[in-house]
Amino acid sequence: MDGDLWEKVLSPDNVYRRQLIDQVMSTALPESKSSEQASAAVKAFTTADLPHELIELLEKIVLQSYAFSGKFNLQNMLIRAAIKAGPSRASSKASIHESACVMDYSNEFTNYEVFKSREALCNWAREVGRQNGFVIVITKSDVTSKGRTARLTLGCERGGYYINRKKDIETEHEKKRRKETGTKKCGCPFALKGEKMPDDDEWMLKVLCGIHNHEAAKYLEGHSYTGRLSEQENSLVLDMSMKMSRLKDILVTLKRKDILNTSTLRTIYNACLKNRVKEKAGRSQMQYLLGKLAEHKYIEWHRSSDDSDAILDLFWAHPRSVELFRAFPHVLIMDCTYKTNKYRLPLFEIVGVTSTNLTFSVAFVYIQHERKDNYTWALNRLRSLVEDQNILPSFIITDRELSLMNAIKKVFPNARHLLCRWHISKNVLSNCKKYFESGDQWEKFNSQWETVVLSATESEYLTQVDILHKNFNTYPEALQYVLSSWLTPYKDRFVSAWTETCMHFGNQTSNRVESAHARLKRQLGCSTLNFELSWGEVHNLIELQYTEIKASFEKSSIVAKHKFACVELKEIRGMVSIVALENILVQMRRARAIGVDASACGCANRRSHGLPCAHEIAEYKREGRPIPLDCIDQFWRKLDILPATKKQNLKLMCQPYLDLFLQIFKDEDTESQLQMLKKLREIIAPHCTHLLEPTEPYNRTRGRLKVKVDTSTRRDPSAFEYVQSRHDSYSTGFNVEPSNSSGHFVPQRQPKEKVYPTQAAKPISHIDEFPAGIREYIFKTKDVQADGNCGFRAIAALMGKGEDGWMVVREDLVDELLYNHQLYTRVYGSVHRVNEIRSGLAHFEGGFAGYEHWMTMPDMGHLIASRYNAVLYHLSMQQCLTFLPLRSNPMLLHARKEIAIGFVNGNHFIQVFMKTGHPVPPVATTWRLHRDVVAADWDSPYIDRIQNFLNVIGCGVATTDTCDTVGID
């Protein structure tokens, strides 16, 4: 092409100039081998005053065309053009980069070393670039051409210029979108050339142009190329993302392994997205999910809509969960939870219990509605997991969900169905508290209700119900509710008199499944996940659960705790779970107080847990033999995951069913045949399913959403929390305000308030619960937990054992009673009374203590004072007494241990701290009658203070031990 023609086509008036230049750059020039043609093109671009296009042309000639790479005059022309055109080009392209800074790094990249491989050459060049603040990339590579020497060109990541290759006419949307993008290219001429040696796989490096027309980078973070992940790093990201690690945790792990890593969160996000897209391989969500379930051998069932093939109900069970269910089918606990998926489907979760007291997930069921039909379908699928093993659950625990209760009765008619006590208690609170005008009256009613629920026998139950009627007949609405809603129809499902007759292994609430809900929601982290993401989280959760259960089995088999070293346990150590040994240890403590008296024992442990009760253990001890293994229920002896019953060797044949399928298939019409083939394809190739994911309940319309989407998995407040927020002035959990639209009460979180350093709020004082005359002598009071052990908790705290040392106090008092049996027979007047007190002390289990195990005063005051050689003051509105040791020598006044407890609200013991020199209540009359001679002077220092007490207290309070005070928490 001659000069005139070049001048014509490169004229600014030529509307096709840009297209011609692009064709010359991309096609004509790379294919040309003529130096005359290249020179003519360079001259034409120079004459036409196209500096930026000239630079691009020279880059193509010098850096990317090996035919002209040795032309040093062209290299020098490229450098001069880049220096001259740098600032103006930056201005004309509205770039934010100024290219006035030109630096030569030829010396840094000059290397006469022979590299062992192409990768070694590239790594060396990139490392030198990184040390100098530049990112070196491969701009051209030619390593596969036959007959030519393999070579590659390296350049700066900011080399070249951005070219808008789109049509000249752009829409407004395209223009706006282009304004939001940018480029980091500034025409940097830096170039290196690598050539392969002819003989071996060795390479040499040559500097073509060592000049950078921009400053070195201060930080390499933010440069996408340097942040690229290596193969090992990408593998680590894949593993951690599959374990549902957070993106920032993955990034932190990478940077700990490599301090020079410059990846960003965007890099990790892109890598995870790429891996997920690659794994999904174009499959739909349901195809991916069913494919994964089949790959990991899940048991899966589903129901779909006939109209749209959308999933309605979806059941899945991990193979490990099925193993555990077949090994421990005895107790099932089930409940629905919400806010776990973007379809707003309730998640019906079913859990079981192992012999080591760990909870395991049996199955997860997404159901369309909480109706009998949905529950029945889910439970039938559950039954199919173990039906062939001839093992079915014996006990099922739920809350009072009537649809679920009816489904259980239909699918598992022989299972004993218990109702959750915790839910019942909260229902009573929600529906009855509003009828009581004061908190004290409600607490008394609730306390009596708990007493009814914990009644050990039917006769005791009837007695406690009569007391409930008698004491609260002025609250007919509350009585009507507990009777008609709970006691009359369901008492055999939650009252101890009936539930303790069946072997539930200590499970009487649905707390386990509630805890499983909480663990699952923590794992999910969001309430808007689809099935695909939810499955991954659930799968990881079950795998960890399975590992923990296996570890607990091994621990029970090989770990010998020192507290189990007694001879009574030698035959069962390592043969039963640690949980069973803990239970037996508690019964051994009771046995010391109860002896072989079966009536005093009650034998509830044998009936409900399948473990020896106190009187059985006392019998073994009297006979001088350890507890035998055969008296332990098989449930506690199972420390493996083998099926509970021996699996039958069944010969399964599918040919008869296939023949029947073919026969039916031939007789059906075309539409029915298509449906049959669909179902067959789902079985054979679940990853090719035609099923669709459920439809989302809310479709976004045009425009910005008015309300922020709630992605929290936190449950909505329950009814009892609404009631507490209305009736409790000290409740700070929720504000209850009526909604503007519906009038229903909606819980709202109280806004956070600024916190200032100030004195802590004082706890509620019980000063008003004591006689007015001694209130000024009380320094402070301190409450303890109200669980039926409050009196023993108060003594434990005052004696320095901590409130949780209440069980030790009970043991100490039993020892005091047994070792001084004759003395206390005289004190209490009969052996029968001694046995009653011993039985009352014999409660060594956690949880709420029944009324027969509550502290009684004044009887137990003598035991406390004598056991701990202390002075005990007992204060209340009804009775005030001092208890002194019965059989020890008096101590000096300053060396004595003086403690005080108070009886408040008519049902609770607390700690009381008295001021120095306070009046002293009269000493119990029984002490004066039955003390040893050596203990005669214990009361001498208190004579004047006792008289002072009588003067200030008046005659309205009993000061003799003639009536009993009972703590009824």
Side-chain angles (χ1 to χ4, degrees):
M1 186 182 295
D2 57 18
D4 295 337
L5 185 58
W6 272 114
E7 183 180 357
K8 184 176 180 180
V9 298
L10 293 180
S11 170
D13 299 331
N14 183 7
V15 295
Y16 301 105
R17 184 173 72 166
R18 181 70 258 177
Q19 288 87 337
L20 174 66
I21 293 174
D22 291 342
Q23 288 298 320
V24 170
M25 299 289 190
S26 60
T27 306
L29 189 61
E31 294 177 356
S32 175
K33 301 293 187 295
S34 171
S35 58
E36 294 180 357
Q37 292 178 351
S39 299
V42 171
K43 183 178 179 181
F45 275 69
T46 305
T47 304
D49 193 20
L50 297 171
H52 311 303
E53 287 77 3
L54 175 60
I55 293 175
E56 188 174 355
L57 178 68
L58 290 171
E59 286 177 343
K60 292 283 185 180
I61 296 174
V62 177
L63 304 182
Q64 300 180 16
S65 176
Y66 294 109
F68 306 110
S69 59
K71 303 295 182 180
F72 294 104
N73 60 332
L74 294 177
Q75 295 179 17
N76 294 332
M77 185 182 293
L78 171 63
I79 295 171
R80 288 195 301 270
I83 295 173
K84 180 180 179 181
S88 61
R89 181 168 181 89
S91 176
S92 64
K93 291 293 183 179
S95 172
I96 63 171
H97 305 293
E98 294 294 338
S99 301
C101 179
V102 178
M103 304 181 70
D104 190 350
Y105 286 85
S106 299
N107 293 334
E108 283 76 1
F109 287 92
T110 299
N111 190 345
Y112 301 103
E113 176 185 353
V114 177
F115 296 94
K116 297 295 183 182
S117 65
R118 175 177 179 270
E119 288 72 21
L121 182 148
C122 293
N123 291 337
W124 180 87
R126 288 168 180 159
E127 177 61 22
V128 173
R130 187 191 65 79
Q131 293 175 1
N132 289 276
F134 300 102
V135 180
I136 307 302
V137 299
I138 297 176
T139 58
K140 186 176 181 180
S141 177
D142 184 5
V143 295
T144 58
S145 299
K146 295 182 179 180
R148 292 191 299 179
T149 303
R151 64 195 73 187
L152 78 155
T153 303
L154 301 172
C156 177
E157 69 165 350
R158 300 187 65 183
Y161 291 100
Y162 169 75
I163 299 175
N164 183 17
R165 300 185 183 277
K166 295 187 178 181
K167 55 188 178 181
D168 294 336
I169 302 175
E170 293 182 323
T171 64
E172 290 297 327
H173 175 71
E174 290 174 337
K175 290 181 179 180
K176 183 177 180 181
R177 184 176 180 183
R178 184 160 58 86
K179 287 181 180 179
E180 297 298 326
T181 62
T183 179
K184 59 188 172 188
K185 294 183 177 295
C186 63
C188 180
F190 180 85
L192 303 174
K193 177 182 176 182
E195 287 188 346
K196 185 175 179 293
M197 303 292 286
D199 297 332
D200 225 342
D201 188 23
E202 295 180 337
W203 290 69
M204 290 288 292
L205 181 67
K206 180 180 179 182
V207 179
L208 297 181
C209 178
I211 291 179
H212 290 277
N213 64 350
H214 58 89
E215 292 183 352
K218 296 179 180 179
Y219 311 102
L220 293 179
E221 285 79 5
H223 292 258
S224 56
Y225 190 87
T226 59
R228 287 168 55 176
L229 301 175
S230 65
E231 184 178 349
Q232 295 80 6
E233 289 174 333
N234 197 56
S235 177
L236 177 62
V237 170
L238 176 61
D239 291 340
M240 294 187 69
S241 63
M242 291 180 65
K243 296 175 182 176
M244 302 304 166
S245 300
R246 294 178 299 179
L247 296 183
K248 63 180 182 180
D249 293 334
I250 299 176
L251 182 59
V252 169
T253 302
L254 290 177
K255 292 187 179 295
R256 284 178 179 172
K257 290 181 174 294
D258 181 8
I259 60 174
L260 300 179
N261 183 282
T262 58
S263 301
T264 62
L265 278 175
R266 171 58 61 178
T267 308
I268 307 301
Y269 173 81
N270 291 338
C272 292
L273 180 61
K274 181 180 178 181
N275 291 327
R276 190 157 60 245
V277 171
K278 181 179 179 181
E279 184 181 12
K280 200 169 180 180
R283 292 177 290 177
S284 70
Q285 185 190 146
M286 292 308 302
Q287 290 174 342
Y288 175 82
L289 173 65
L290 295 184
K292 279 295 182 181
L293 292 176
E295 177 185 341
H296 292 275
K297 303 187 184 305
Y298 273 70
I299 306 297
E300 182 271 331
W301 296 89
H302 61 262
R303 294 198 300 181
S304 60
S305 171
D306 295 333
D307 299 332
S308 62
D309 288 332
I311 285 289
L312 300 179
D313 301 312
L314 177 62
F315 175 104
W316 73 51
H318 194 289
R320 302 295 190 191
S321 298
V322 176
E323 289 181 19
L324 287 167
F325 182 30
R326 291 174 175 174
F328 299 97
H330 313 84
V331 179
L332 288 182
I333 309 169
M334 50 189 72
D335 187 31
C336 271
T337 188
Y338 314 93
K339 291 187 167 185
T340 61
N341 57 89
K342 71 176 185 178
Y343 319 107
R344 295 296 186 260
L345 295 180
L347 176 59
F348 183 46
E349 189 170 3
I350 306 166
V351 303
V353 187
T354 68
S355 59
T356 52
N357 206 37
L358 292 181
T359 304
F360 65 90
S361 299
V362 177
F364 297 87
V365 192
Y366 292 95
I367 57 179
Q368 184 184 25
H369 303 291
E370 294 180 85
R371 298 172 182 168
K372 180 181 177 181
D373 173 65
N374 303 87
Y375 284 127
T376 301
W377 177 85
L379 293 178
N380 276 320
R381 303 285 76 76
L382 176 69
R383 182 181 179 120
S384 68
L385 299 180
V386 292
E387 197 167 22
D388 61 331
Q389 304 289 324
N390 295 322
I391 49 176
L392 292 174
S394 303
F395 302 95
I396 298 176
I397 304 171
T398 68
D399 57 10
R400 193 182 61 171
E401 176 66 41
L402 297 180
S403 300
L404 178 57
M405 293 172 68
N406 293 330
I408 291 173
K409 184 177 181 180
K410 181 178 180 180
V411 180
F412 298 105
N414 297 323
R416 182 75 180 270
H417 185 191
L418 304 182
L419 295 179
C420 173
R421 284 181 175 177
W422 186 87
H423 281 92
I424 294 173
S425 173
K426 297 308 177 184
N427 272 281
V428 171
L429 184 151
S430 303
N431 291 278
C432 294
K433 189 172 183 179
K434 58 188 176 183
Y435 299 123
F436 294 86
E437 66 278 2
S438 68
D440 290 343
Q441 283 298 104
W442 159 250
E443 291 296 338
K444 291 178 182 179
F445 177 86
N446 195 44
S447 176
Q448 183 59 32
W449 165 253
E450 293 293 339
T451 305
V452 171
V453 173
L454 296 174
S455 299
T457 63
E458 292 187 33
S459 60
E460 182 184 332
Y461 164 77
L462 294 174
T463 301
Q464 295 302 328
V465 170
D466 288 341
I467 294 174
L468 187 68
H469 273 283
K470 179 180 178 181
N471 294 345
F472 301 99
N473 55 13
T474 56
Y475 303 97
E477 297 90 348
L479 290 175
Q480 175 65 22
Y481 174 77
V482 297
L483 288 173
S484 61
S485 298
W486 297 107
L487 294 180
T488 301
Y490 303 121
K491 62 178 180 292
D492 58 326
R493 301 192 185 197
F494 69 95
V495 177
S496 294
W498 287 270
T499 60
E500 294 300 326
T501 61
C502 59
M503 203 171 297
H504 50 65
F505 304 109
N507 297 284
Q508 299 190 68
T509 69
S510 60
N511 291 353
R512 288 183 182 275
V513 73
E514 299 289 350
S515 299
H517 293 338
R519 285 195 299 270
L520 174 64
K521 289 186 174 184
R522 284 196 299 269
Q523 186 79 3
L524 294 177
C526 178
S527 65
T528 57
L529 298 183
N530 55 25
F531 284 154
E532 171 192 342
L533 297 176
S534 297
W535 171 83
E537 300 283 6
V538 171
H539 181 75
N540 292 333
L541 188 67
I542 295 176
E543 290 288 346
L544 295 176
Q545 189 181 88
Y546 185 70
T547 301
E548 184 182 4
I549 289 173
K550 290 192 295 183
S552 70
F553 290 154
E554 197 66 15
K555 183 178 179 181
S556 291
S557 299
I558 65 175
V559 176
K561 290 188 176 182
H562 299 300
K563 63 180 177 180
F564 301 145
C566 54
V567 67
E568 290 90 343
L569 302 178
K570 69 177 184 179
E571 288 190 7
I572 60 176
R573 271 195 309 269
M575 305 299 293
V576 301
S577 73
I578 291 178
V579 177
L581 292 177
E582 295 278 6
N583 180 284
I584 293 173
L585 205 61
V586 170
Q587 294 300 314
M588 289 173 63
R589 294 172 183 156
R590 289 190 67 218
R592 294 167 55 189
I594 293 174
V596 296
D597 186 357
S599 60
C601 174
C603 301
N605 203 53
R606 167 59 67 190
R607 294 192 301 269
S608 62
H609 289 71
L611 293 170
C613 53
H615 89 278
E616 291 181 57
I617 296 173
E619 186 67 32
Y620 293 136
K621 188 173 183 180
R622 187 175 68 175
E623 295 174 359
R625 62 191 183 103
I627 299 172
L629 183 61
D630 57 9
C631 76
I632 309 294
D633 189 87
Q634 185 65 36
F635 174 83
W636 303 106
R637 292 151 57 181
K638 187 167 183 56
L639 300 176
D640 55 55
I641 312 178
L642 298 177
T645 59
K646 189 174 181 180
K647 189 174 182 179
Q648 301 176 0
N649 294 323
L650 301 175
K651 293 184 178 180
L652 302 177
M653 298 180 63
C654 66
Q655 191 60 45
Y657 295 98
L658 294 177
D659 294 340
L660 181 61
F661 177 85
L662 290 174
Q663 181 180 347
I664 297 174
F665 182 80
K666 292 177 181 179
D667 297 336
E668 296 291 340
D669 55 24
T670 303
E671 185 63 30
S672 298
Q673 288 178 344
L674 289 174
Q675 293 299 322
M676 293 176 68
L677 290 176
K678 275 185 179 182
K679 294 183 180 298
L680 184 62
R681 185 171 65 247
E682 286 180 10
I683 298 173
I684 299 173
H687 59 279
C688 299
T689 181
H690 62 282
L691 293 173
L692 303 175
E693 61 181 311
T695 56
E696 296 186 45
Y698 303 107
N699 295 322
R700 178 173 177 172
T701 57
R702 285 189 174 185
R704 185 173 62 88
L705 288 175
K706 303 297 183 183
V707 181
K708 183 179 179 181
V709 177
D710 180 18
T711 62
S712 171
T713 59
R714 186 187 181 105
R715 65 173 178 81
D716 293 329
S718 300
F720 76 89
E721 291 171 308
Y722 285 98
V723 172
Q724 285 180 330
S725 65
R726 289 193 188 110
H727 292 277
D728 295 347
S729 60
Y730 52 85
S731 175
T732 58
F734 297 94
N735 283 333
V736 182
E737 298 181 359
S739 170
N740 293 331
S741 58
S742 63
H744 296 294
F745 283 96
V746 180
Q748 297 181 351
R749 291 278 165 191
Q750 288 186 352
K752 293 183 178 179
E753 298 179 356
K754 184 176 289 188
V755 178
Y756 298 94
T758 183
Q759 187 175 2
K762 294 183 179 180
I764 298 175
S765 174
H766 296 277
I767 296 295
D768 294 338
E769 296 290 333
F770 301 106
I774 63 169
R775 294 173 187 172
E776 61 180 293
Y777 299 102
I778 297 176
F779 174 67
K780 69 174 182 177
T781 61
K782 188 174 182 180
D783 204 354
V784 295
Q785 182 177 338
D787 61 350
N789 300 299
C790 58
F792 304 99
R793 286 181 178 275
I795 296 298
L798 291 168
M799 295 306 301
K801 303 176 185 295
E803 184 180 329
D804 292 334
W806 60 268
M807 193 179 297
V808 177
V809 172
R810 285 184 179 271
E811 292 178 352
D812 290 344
L813 299 187
V814 169
D815 291 341
E816 172 68 20
L817 194 62
L818 294 179
Y819 295 149
N820 302 278
H821 189 271
Q822 292 182 351
L823 170 62
Y824 288 107
T825 301
R826 297 196 306 271
V827 171
Y828 300 132
S830 68
V831 175
H832 176 71
R833 181 57 180 159
V834 170
N835 290 336
E836 285 182 349
I837 295 174
R838 183 181 66 177
S839 178
L841 292 169
H843 174 75
F844 303 102
E845 302 175 359
F848 190 87
Y851 78 98
E852 68 275 11
H853 298 296
W854 296 331
M855 176 177 281
T856 58
M857 298 297 285
D859 289 337
M860 294 185 184
H862 298 292
L863 294 173
I864 296 168
S866 300
R867 173 64 181 182
Y868 297 114
N869 203 36
V871 178
L872 171 65
Y873 305 121
H874 168 59
L875 306 173
S876 73
M877 278 291 195
Q878 297 80 27
Q879 187 181 55
C880 295
L881 289 173
T882 298
F883 298 93
L884 303 173
L886 287 166
R887 62 181 191 281
S888 63
N889 291 315
M891 301 174 63
L892 296 176
L893 184 60
H894 70 273
R896 295 184 180 186
K897 177 70 173 179
E898 297 182 1
I899 59 176
I901 60 174
F903 185 67
V904 299
N905 296 334
N907 63 357
H908 186 55
F909 285 102
I910 63 172
Q911 305 174 59
V912 180
F913 298 89
M914 306 296 291
K915 296 179 181 178
T916 304
H918 63 86
V920 173
V923 177
T925 306
T926 309
W927 178 83
R928 300 186 185 280
L929 296 175
H930 301 290
R931 58 170 171 74
D932 285 353
V933 176
V934 297
D937 293 332
W938 266 99
D939 62 338
S940 298
Y942 305 118
I943 294 175
D944 294 338
R945 294 166 65 185
I946 291 174
Q947 185 59 47
N948 186 20
F949 183 90
L950 295 174
N951 293 336
V952 301
I953 206 66
C955 58
V957 179
T959 54
T960 58
D961 43 345
T962 56
C963 62
D964 284 352
T965 302
V966 183
I968 50 174
D969 296 323

